Amino acid sequence: SAAVAAVAVRVVMGGGVIREARLALGAVAPVPLLAERAGASLSGEAPSRDAFELAGAICAEESLPITDLRGSADFRRELVSVLARRALEEAVARAGGAS
């Protein structure tokens, strides 16, 4: 079975802030997509739910999902937003930051 939506995140922490964030989106565009604006929105920011929710919303804007038997385009946008926030929380926790 194929994914409805997927998000992979890499963060680099330093001095209590996110120095770099890269978010890759899968199954929401014709090919895997690097959400460059979402990553840029986090640069220099302290980890927070608000920052992660904004980045998730930007991921939804940057995605180009289609509607098919596995889900609607709107559902995929919402899902990618939630998955991005959760992935960021986990990535920051693994990097030793706090959210």
Side-chain angles (χ1 to χ4, degrees):
S1 68
V4 174
V7 178
V9 171
R10 176 181 182 270
V11 294
V12 177
M13 299 292 299
V17 300
I18 298 168
R19 295 289 179 208
E20 180 185 9
R22 294 174 65 88
L23 297 91
L25 314 179
V28 291
V31 296
L33 174 72
L34 186 62
E36 294 185 20
R37 287 191 302 117
S41 77
L42 293 162
S43 182
E45 293 292 320
S48 70
R49 184 175 181 93
D50 286 348
F52 297 160
E53 285 184 356
L54 176 60
I58 295 170
C59 283
E61 291 173 2
E62 290 189 82
S63 67
L64 302 165
I66 61 168
T67 294
D68 66 14
L69 293 175
R70 291 173 288 136
S72 71
D74 286 342
F75 173 71
R76 285 189 156 103
R77 281 188 200 94
E78 179 63 27
L79 187 58
V80 82
S81 178
V82 171
L83 290 174
R85 179 180 52 79
R86 290 179 183 171
L88 283 163
E89 288 170 353
E90 186 171 333
V92 167
R94 287 183 179 191
S99 62

